[in-house]
Amino acid sequence: MTTSGEKARGLRQAMAWIHTWLGLLAGWILFAMFLTGTASYFRPEITRWMQPELDLKAVTPARAAETAVAHMQATSPHDEQWFIYLPDERTTETRIFARAKPNPDPKAPPTPRRAEIKLDPATGAELAARDTRGGEHFYRFHFQLQLPHPWGRWLAGLCAIFMLAAIISGVVTHKRIFIDFFTLRWGKGQRSWLDAHNVSAVLALPFHAMITYTGLITLVVMYMPWPITANYKSPAVFATEAYGAEPEREAMGRAVALTPIGPLVSAAAREWQGGRPDRVVIRNPNDAAAIVTISRSGADRLNARSASISYSGADGHRLTASDPPGPAIATAGVMLGLHLGSFAGPVLRWTYFLLGLTGAAMVGTGLLLWTAKRRKPGAKPFFGFRLVERLNIGAIACLPAGMAAYLLANRLIPAELPKRADMEVATMFWVWFGLAALSLLRPVHRAWPETLAIAAAAFAALPIVNALTTDRGFIHSIRAGDTLFLAFDLATFAIALLLGFGAWRASRPKRAPVRPRRSAPARVEREMADAA
C-alpha cells in the first residue's frame, strides 16, 4: 500500500523533472529576457544617456504643448492630425509627428508616416542629437527577441509559460526551500550552486511570480484571441467596446484658428486632480471641426491604461471624456502597470531593478546547477552536457559584454553617421555572438573567467569612454550636479566590479571535495538536493 510519504516523494520527483527540463529548455532565453527587461526599468534614463547632446530644463506640460503647437503651426498647418508627446520628470524633450491628409486618389500608394521630431519643450526649437534606439532597444528585445512580428512575442510568451511552470514546480520540489534560504556555502560545487539558486529564487519569489504572470497577461489577447474572434466582428469593434472611442468629426473645410492649447492641458490636469497629461492629439487642426484629445500619463498611478478628455479645437469647450474602465479592463491595466513599473518612484524603481537582477541570477544559477549535478570527475562528458556548458557561457557571460558593447558603440560611432542606430544594435549582437563563438576555442575552465573579464572590462570602460568623448564625464557631473550621468557611471562601475568578482571566482582552481561517509539524515538531505 502506498503511503502518504511515498506519494509526496513521487509528486516532488515529478515536479523536479518538470522544473529541471522546463528551466533548461527556456533558461538561456529567459536569462536574456530577465537581463534586458531589468535594464528596461531605466529605459528613459538610458536613452537620455545615449544622447548626451541634450541637456534640457524641465517645463510644465502646458508650456511644452504650447511650444509644440507653435512649431507645428509653422511647419505642417494643413495636416490631418498632430501628435504631441509631452515631457515628464524622466523624458525631458517633446516628441511630435504629423499625419498628412490621405490622397483622394484610391489608386495612389499610402502616404508614408513622417519621421518623429524632438523639440526643446521651452522654446519649440528642433533638437539635433545622435540617432539611437536608446533604452527602447533593451525594452523591445525583452519581449520580441529581435525576431519578426509576431514570432518573437510568441517565443517570449512560450518561455514565460515555462518560467511560471518552473516557479510552481520549484516551490513543490524544494521541501526545505525557506530553510535553505538562510544557507549559502561557498566552494562546495553542486551544493554551492543549489544554495545560490535557492537564495536568488526565494529572495524575490513573489516578484518573480508577479513579473512572469503579468508579462503573460499583458499579451494575452495575442496569445488567446479566440474569445474576441468568436464574439466580435473584428478586433477594432472589441477595442471600441472595451476601451471606448475618441470622438471624430469630418473636416468642414472652414478655416478656424486653433484655440490656445495651454489652458486645455491645464484644465485636463485639474479634472484629473493633479494627474499629468502626457499626450495631445489634434484632429483637423485649424478647421471648424478640430478636436483636441488630451491623454493622462500612466506613470502617476498603478493602472497603466490612460484616461482622456476631448475638447473642441475651435472654441475650447469640453466635448467628452473616456468612461471609467470596467473591472476586467481595470485589472488588465493594473497588471500592465505592475509589469512595466512605470508608476514607481526612484526607490521603488531601483527595487524593481535589483529584484530583476535576482531573477537573472536565479535562472543563471539554475543552468549552472544542471551541469554541476552531471559533472563526473574522470568521466567523458556526453554531447548534451558539452552543449549546455557552452550555451551557458554564451548566455550568462557573453550577453553582458554585448550589452556593454551597445553602450560603447553609442559613444564610438560618429554622431553624424547615417543609420548609426542600427549599427549600435548590430554591435551588441556581433560582440555577443562573436565572443560566444570565440569561447568555443578555449577550454571551459578558461572560457568562463576570460569572457566574464571581457564583460567587466567593457563596463569599466564606459565611464572612461564617456569622459573622453563627451563633456559630461564623471568630474563634470559632480561639479554640475548631473545626477543622471553620475548615477550611470557609478552603476556601470558597480556592474564591472560584480562581473570582475565573477571572473576571479571562476579562475580559482577547483578542488575535488572530500566526501565523508553519509549518515541516514545526510542521505535524506542528499536526496532533496538531487530532487532540485
Side-chain angles (χ1 to χ4, degrees):
M1 183 176 179
T2 304
T3 66
S4 59
E6 290 173 341
K7 290 181 179 179
R9 284 193 295 272
L11 175 63
R12 286 200 299 273
Q13 288 174 353
M15 290 293 104
W17 187 91
I18 293 173
H19 183 78
T20 298
W21 291 104
L22 289 184
L24 178 68
L25 293 175
W28 302 290
I29 297 177
L30 285 171
F31 182 84
M33 290 171 64
F34 259 106
L35 206 58
T36 53
T38 298
S40 300
Y41 289 127
F42 291 99
R43 180 180 16 159
E45 288 79 7
I46 293 174
T47 302
R48 287 169 58 189
W49 185 87
M50 296 182 76
Q51 291 185 320
E53 301 86 357
L54 304 182
D55 188 13
L56 306 173
K57 304 302 180 183
V59 300
T60 64
R63 174 61 180 169
E66 289 171 345
T67 57
V69 167
H71 182 278
M72 301 188 89
Q73 290 282 25
T75 58
S76 51
H78 304 298
D79 282 329
E80 183 183 47
Q81 279 185 300
W82 295 346
F83 296 84
I84 304 170
Y85 295 89
L86 303 174
D88 55 23
E89 295 91 349
R90 302 176 64 192
T91 303
T92 55
E93 73 276 1
T94 305
R95 297 181 294 120
I96 64 169
F97 73 90
R99 179 179 294 167
K101 293 179 180 179
N103 194 322
D105 183 2
K107 297 182 180 180
T111 305
R113 174 175 167 170
R114 295 179 182 175
E116 186 178 272
I117 299 172
K118 293 185 177 183
L119 305 178
D120 184 332
T123 64
E126 290 191 26
L127 298 173
R130 65 189 67 193
D131 183 28
T132 181
R133 296 187 193 175
E136 190 72 16
H137 167 59
F138 292 141
Y139 171 69
R140 293 289 169 182
F141 178 84
H142 156 68
F143 66 94
Q144 293 183 163
L145 304 172
Q146 206 67 15
L147 296 175
H149 180 82
W151 306 113
R153 298 188 180 193
W154 274 101
L155 180 56
L158 179 63
C159 290
I161 292 172
F162 281 19
M163 178 69 181
L164 195 60
I167 290 173
I168 296 171
S169 59
V171 172
V172 176
T173 297
H174 295 275
K175 184 178 180 181
R176 299 177 51 192
I177 187 169
F178 292 104
I179 298 175
D180 289 342
F181 169 70
F182 297 98
T183 305
L184 184 58
R185 287 158 284 198
W186 295 90
K188 301 294 183 181
Q190 176 185 337
R191 170 54 64 182
S192 297
W193 288 119
L194 178 60
D195 289 345
H197 187 60
N198 286 341
V199 169
S200 58
V202 179
L203 180 65
L205 181 60
F207 175 82
H208 298 155
M210 178 276 291
I211 210 70
T212 305
Y213 180 73
T214 54
L216 281 170
I217 293 298
T218 298
L219 297 176
V220 71
V221 173
M222 187 188 79
Y223 299 142
M224 300 180 66
W226 307 287
I228 295 175
T229 57
N231 292 281
Y232 295 90
K233 292 182 179 180
S234 68
V237 175
F238 163 76
T240 299
E241 183 172 327
Y243 304 109
E246 297 173 354
E248 293 187 10
R249 293 188 296 196
E250 294 291 334
M252 295 182 180
R254 180 162 59 89
V256 174
L258 186 68
T259 189
I261 200 72
L264 302 186
V265 173
S266 299
R270 287 193 302 270
E271 185 168 338
W272 291 323
Q273 298 180 349
R276 189 180 183 96
D278 74 338
R279 186 182 62 178
V280 179
V281 178
I282 303 176
R283 296 172 177 82
N284 305 314
N286 301 310
D287 186 90
I291 295 177
V292 178
T293 300
I294 302 172
S295 298
R296 180 179 181 177
S297 171
D300 57 4
R301 55 182 182 160
L302 185 56
N303 189 340
R305 300 291 183 186
S306 63
S308 64
I309 303 175
S310 296
Y311 300 89
S312 168
D315 56 20
H317 76 270
R318 185 181 184 277
L319 296 175
T320 184
S322 58
D323 295 327
I329 298 302
T331 301
V334 170
M335 293 288 183
L336 178 62
L338 283 171
H339 190 80
L340 296 177
S342 55
F343 68 95
V347 174
L348 186 54
R349 193 177 307 121
W350 276 106
T351 303
Y352 260 77
F353 179 80
L354 295 175
L355 293 176
L357 289 182
T358 66
M362 175 186 64
V363 175
T365 53
L367 293 170
L368 293 169
L369 177 60
W370 192 93
T371 57
K373 282 183 59 178
R374 290 157 181 80
R375 181 178 289 108
K376 301 186 183 301
K380 183 178 180 181
F382 55 96
F383 172 76
F385 179 89
R386 297 196 304 271
L387 177 63
V388 172
E389 272 196 322
R390 293 299 180 173
L391 287 174
N392 285 350
I393 296 171
I396 299 172
C398 299
L399 173 57
M403 294 174 70
Y406 172 69
L407 299 174
L408 284 170
N410 176 262
R411 292 297 189 259
L412 298 177
I413 296 175
E416 67 280 357
L417 207 62
K419 297 184 178 180
R420 66 180 311 282
D422 294 334
M423 297 180 188
E424 291 176 358
V425 173
T427 300
M428 171 176 159
F429 291 101
W430 276 107
V431 171
W432 179 9
F433 296 141
L435 186 59
L438 288 175
S439 70
L440 298 175
L441 305 178
R442 303 290 292 160
V444 170
H445 71 280
R446 296 303 310 160
W448 273 111
E450 290 169 0
T451 50
L452 286 171
I454 291 173
F459 273 100
L462 277 169
I464 301 172
V465 173
N466 175 63
L468 294 176
T469 56
T470 72
D471 58 356
R472 302 179 73 176
F474 186 78
I475 302 300
H476 176 271
S477 298
I478 295 176
R479 292 174 177 171
D482 191 342
T483 55
L484 172 66
F485 275 65
L486 184 61
F488 205 96
D489 285 349
L490 292 175
T492 53
F493 184 70
I495 294 172
L497 288 178
L498 183 62
L499 291 169
F501 175 75
W504 172 74
R505 289 290 303 181
S507 66
R508 297 185 67 185
K510 307 297 186 297
R511 294 179 295 180
V514 178
R515 296 187 176 181
R517 184 177 179 180
R518 297 192 298 271
S519 61
R523 286 198 300 273
V524 174
E525 183 181 355
R526 176 64 178 176
E527 290 175 2
M528 295 305 302
D530 290 339

